[in-house]
Amino acid sequence: MSIAPAPSAVPPAADAQPLLVLERLLKIYGEGCPDCVARTGPAAGTNVCPRCRSVVACGDLSLRLDPGEIFGIVGESGSGKSTLLRCLYFDETPTAGHAYLTPYEAGRVDVFAISPQRRRYVRHHLLGMVYQHPHLGLDLDTSAGGNIAEKMLMAGTRHVGRMRERARELLGRTEVPLDRMDEPPRRFSGGMQQRVQIAKTLANNPPLVLLDEVTTGQDVSVQARVLDLIRSLGRSLGLAMIAVSHDLGVIRLLAQRTAVMKNGRIVELGLTDQILEDPQHPYTQLLVSSQL
Amino acid sequence: MRAADLLVARRSGYNFAFLDEHSKREVRRALLKAVAIPGHQVPFAPRELPIALGWGTGGLQITLSLIGPRDVLKVIDQGSDDSVNAVNLRRLITRTTGVRTTTDTRRATIIQTRHRVPEESLRADQVLVFQVPYPEPLRRVEPSDVQTRRMHAEQDYSRLWVYLYEDIVRWGDVTIPHRYPVRVHGRYVMDPSPIPRWDVPKLHRSPTLGLFGAGREKRVYAIPPHTRVEPLEFDDHPFRVEDFGGERCRRCGSGRSFLSAIYDRATGRRYYVCSDTDYCERRIAGGAAQRAAAP
Ligand SMILES: Nc1ncnc2c1ncn2[C@@H]1O[C@H](COP(=O)(O)OP(=O)(O)O)[C@@H](O)[C@H]1O
Ligand SMILES: [Mg+2]
Ligand SMILES: [Zn+2]
């Protein structure tokens, strides 16, 4: 008689350690009340609490990200995508929730709970953010090279020559003409500003880059170029990214896995291809049929 | 109120050193905090003084709060003991205290200064009081006080560094002539007041207590004795003091002091003299004495 091994005797597949674990992120704009979470979300069709009028921008979001993975977040305007990224980048203080980054204290410390000084360290060494509007990520009146230097200065570099070398390398990678390195990006086109912002983001080799609607509002040809750039950077540098867009087409080009958001909640999460071919949630079905 | 009236005012009931004891204590309390947190700007509530704001009232209140009857006072403005501003401040202090004054840096116990550190090495039994017009070193890059306070608290000085970087890229070197930002005790970035770069190294590990007062901006700060004071500099662009290209003081011949350029209308030429007049005079007197002693 052969005895099948009990399931519990099988060691669990040694999952690669995730880069980021986000647990139950809650972000409420406003006073908040005990009913906020229960009375908002896709079922309620709103992110505004009917009792206290607070906005539940992110309600209980959890996700895991592997090193080198490009993760997409798609959803209509106001669904909470930017708020999620801003919380991860410490631009906003979450109402509740935890985040663990493996490169920080081996992922054992909740980075939402650390001191402002430590937060600055995480923000400048481990994270990069590319904002939809370049003026949020760049000082448009400081030279392109100076913007890149700023990120390195925040991480403690004190060598002009080395910073300029690195700026040249990054601007080369992001296809910004090197003879414009000492010019302020205010004089650049929107697409070029966005590429300078990406270069700045990469200055300290962060393992995780957050991208908020990087191509929104740009010409199709500019969009394609920026998306190509992001994909090749991801591949060549082994960067993990969270790319946010309201445009399923952009997400399809970038992301291996995707979360679909509505009214501050994740309604569906899975492999991008599967979501596109076989959407489960009615909202995802609507999104897929209307956009593709 | 003219300074001459003060003498009368004092006879008619002004306190020693003009300020009432309570006000002095308030200033000293702010100074104690400033000494405890080197380079950190501490708010204080300036009193009404018979001197317009912006004419050294911050430094003056520090001096008035510290001075005792046995102190010997020196007041300088840009290195000179007899500029109008220095004379006015000195007169106000002596008329309300009766303390002795001197121009000799070595003999002074309190030196109040605008825009210079004396050339003479200072000692532990002396106090150097700086008049400060702009106490905030981050003002160059950030207009908002809320923001600069946050930046200091978080030790977030990257934008000031970017300012230096841009200066180097544009001009080949940092061009800040005075108010050169320094880091105090490895922590706070501080404005050393509009002293030339020449004077910045003198603040480093100085045995003398340095006190800084900004009246208009209502701030005091301090460098306790022997504190590290380091100019912000890049590894490949070290901080440098002014270079006078081998020029010497026309009066005393010094090639090792901070020089002021003077334009000679008669010859159309520019020549140089020591900015520190006491230092210059003493060198001249010393030279004369040496010549007299020579056989
Ligand atoms: N600072 C704020 N104060 C109040 N409500 C905000 C603020 N920022 C965003 N919101 C609200 O939070 C919700 C989510 O916004 P956001 O994260 O920008 O959505 P998305 O990026 O998906 O368009 C929206 O209803 C928005 O109006
Ligand atoms: Mg958004
Ligand atoms: Zn509520």
Side-chain angles (χ1 to χ4, degrees):
Chain A
M1 192 167 68
S2 66
I3 300 170
S8 62
V10 180
D15 261 349
Q17 197 171 8
L19 176 69
L20 166 75
V21 176
L22 178 67
E23 280 178 358
R24 311 203 59 177
L25 169 66
L26 176 66
K27 176 63 189 178
I28 298 179
Y29 291 107
E31 297 278 299
C33 77
D35 289 356
C36 278
V37 176
R39 297 180 65 175
T40 57
T46 178
N47 63 3
V48 180
C49 172
R51 186 171 144 196
C52 74
R53 311 306 301 169
S54 298
V55 175
V56 182
C58 295
D60 255 345
L61 305 181
S62 298
L63 54 89
R64 294 161 79 89
L65 189 72
D66 285 330
E69 179 183 13
I70 302 187
F71 187 86
I73 298 179
V74 67
E76 65 195 5
S77 168
S79 58
K81 307 178 299 293
S82 295
T83 303
L84 166 61
L85 293 192
R86 286 204 304 267
C87 287
L88 283 174
Y89 199 58
F90 308 111
D91 281 342
E92 295 279 359
T93 308
T95 308
H98 312 280
Y100 305 89
L101 275 161
T102 300
Y104 183 73
E105 303 288 341
R108 281 193 287 266
V109 175
D110 177 3
V111 295
F112 285 161
I114 58 182
S115 74
Q117 261 99 331
R118 302 307 295 160
R119 248 182 267 158
R120 272 171 43 79
Y121 169 83
V122 171
R123 181 178 158 112
H124 296 307
H125 288 77
L126 306 181
L127 301 174
M129 170 79 125
V130 181
Y131 294 91
Q132 174 176 359
H133 302 290
H135 71 88
L136 293 177
L138 295 175
D139 179 345
L140 294 179
D141 297 311
T142 291
S143 69
N147 269 285
I148 294 169
E150 181 181 15
K151 191 82 179 172
M152 298 179 74
L153 288 162
M154 288 183 192
T157 308
R158 294 289 180 264
H159 195 286
V160 174
R162 272 206 294 280
M163 289 192 293
R164 290 183 67 71
E165 205 175 307
R166 177 80 176 138
R168 262 182 233 114
E169 180 195 332
L170 289 167
L171 292 173
R173 269 186 185 278
T174 54
E175 299 163 24
V176 176
L178 292 189
D179 59 1
R180 309 206 63 181
M181 173 161 129
D182 295 329
E183 274 183 53
R186 190 175 290 288
R187 297 191 204 143
F188 300 174
S189 69
M192 193 146 100
Q193 289 179 351
Q194 209 54 303
R195 280 178 281 127
V196 174
Q197 204 192 171
I198 293 171
K200 175 178 190 170
T201 292
L202 301 177
N204 297 324
N205 276 319
L208 174 58
V209 169
L210 312 170
L211 304 153
D212 195 359
E213 309 267 8
V214 264
T215 58
T216 300
Q218 293 170 349
D219 297 344
V220 178
S221 62
V222 177
Q223 268 195 32
R225 192 166 165 203
V226 172
L227 292 178
D228 272 348
L229 173 67
I230 291 169
R231 283 201 301 188
S232 84
L233 287 173
R235 233 177 298 120
S236 62
L237 302 175
L239 287 175
M241 302 192 219
I242 301 180
V244 154
S245 179
H246 69 282
D247 183 345
L248 206 45
V250 168
I251 294 301
R252 180 167 68 162
L253 280 174
L254 287 179
Q256 291 110 30
R257 286 193 309 141
T258 295
V260 181
M261 280 185 73
K262 182 161 170 41
N263 301 126
R265 305 297 192 283
I266 292 175
V267 295
E268 188 159 354
L269 193 160
L271 294 172
T272 309
D273 291 344
Q274 274 180 20
I275 286 178
L276 292 173
E277 276 159 32
D278 187 18
Q280 299 295 305
H281 192 276
Y283 172 70
T284 318
Q285 290 164 359
L286 186 69
L287 201 66
V288 171
S289 65
S290 68
Q291 285 195 11
L292 296 176
Chain B
M1 186 186 294
R2 281 186 305 121
D5 298 336
L6 271 174
L7 193 59
V8 183
R10 188 178 163 224
R11 280 199 206 103
S12 61
Y14 270 99
N15 199 25
F16 177 82
F18 190 79
L19 300 175
D20 62 83
E21 292 307 313
H22 173 73
S23 302
K24 291 190 210 167
R25 216 171 303 131
E26 289 293 300
V27 175
R28 288 197 296 261
R29 199 167 289 157
L31 289 174
L32 282 175
K33 183 169 177 189
V35 168
I37 316 172
H40 172 63
Q41 298 167 55
V42 179
F44 84 114
R47 305 290 146 166
E48 288 276 333
L49 286 169
I51 296 242
L53 281 173
W55 290 95
T57 51
L60 180 61
Q61 282 176 85
I62 292 177
T63 300
L64 294 175
S65 305
L66 297 181
I67 202 160
R70 279 192 296 280
D71 272 307
V72 181
L73 176 73
K74 173 180 167 80
V75 182
I76 46 173
D77 184 344
Q78 314 245 28
S80 160
D81 295 86
D82 37 56
S83 84
V84 177
N85 188 25
V87 170
N88 281 339
L89 289 169
R90 186 185 309 117
R91 192 181 294 150
L92 190 149
I93 300 167
T94 52
R95 290 203 175 165
T96 58
T97 60
V99 300
R100 282 177 297 153
T101 65
T102 183
T103 57
D104 187 339
T105 301
R106 300 165 308 175
R107 290 185 52 227
T109 58
I110 297 180
I111 301 167
Q112 181 171 329
T113 178
R114 173 173 176 267
H115 299 192
R116 277 308 311 274
V117 175
E119 302 290 355
E120 199 80 49
S121 304
L122 300 178
R123 300 180 310 265
D125 60 339
Q126 298 175 302
V127 178
L128 190 56
V129 178
F130 293 83
Q131 299 169 204
V132 180
Y134 308 106
E136 180 50 74
L138 296 173
R139 192 61 76 227
R140 279 190 175 93
V141 295
E142 176 56 59
S144 146
D145 264 336
V146 175
Q147 281 304 319
T148 55
R149 232 169 291 154
R150 179 196 62 73
M151 289 157 85
H152 282 295
E154 295 181 9
Q155 224 172 317
D156 175 6
Y157 296 123
S158 52
R159 281 176 51 208
L160 196 52
W161 283 102
V162 170
Y163 179 94
L164 302 181
Y165 167 93
E166 295 276 288
D167 226 13
I168 289 170
V169 167
R170 206 165 308 148
W171 309 108
D173 210 344
V174 176
T175 58
I176 300 172
H178 43 238
R179 295 182 62 209
Y180 195 98
V182 293
R183 178 170 285 217
V184 179
H185 194 50
R187 176 59 179 85
Y188 285 95
V189 169
M190 192 196 88
D191 186 317
S193 87
I195 55 175
R197 297 201 286 190
W198 185 269
D199 290 342
V200 169
K202 296 183 202 159
L203 302 175
H204 182 56
R205 297 202 189 282
S206 164
T208 311
L209 171 63
L211 300 174
F212 298 77
R216 203 174 25 197
E217 306 248 353
K218 305 186 175 68
R219 292 282 186 281
V220 294
Y221 49 97
I223 304 175
H226 308 292
T227 303
R228 257 160 52 219
V229 178
E230 293 148 326
L232 301 194
E233 62 185 349
F234 291 103
D235 298 343
D236 54 343
H237 284 263
F239 171 83
R240 279 191 315 207
V241 300
E242 291 80 356
D243 178 4
F244 296 103
E247 294 285 351
R248 292 177 166 273
C249 171
R250 185 192 257 196
R251 297 177 68 228
C252 76
S254 169
R256 261 183 271 161
S257 52
F258 185 74
L259 301 175
S260 310
I262 293 186
Y263 181 74
D264 186 340
R265 277 213 201 102
T267 65
R269 283 244 201 67
R270 186 199 271 282
Y271 66 93
Y272 291 86
V273 293
C274 289
S275 131
D276 183 337
T277 51
D278 168 60
Y279 171 85
C280 192
E281 297 293 345
R282 193 139 12 85
R283 278 178 53 89
I284 293 168
Q290 246 169 31
R291 277 191 299 280

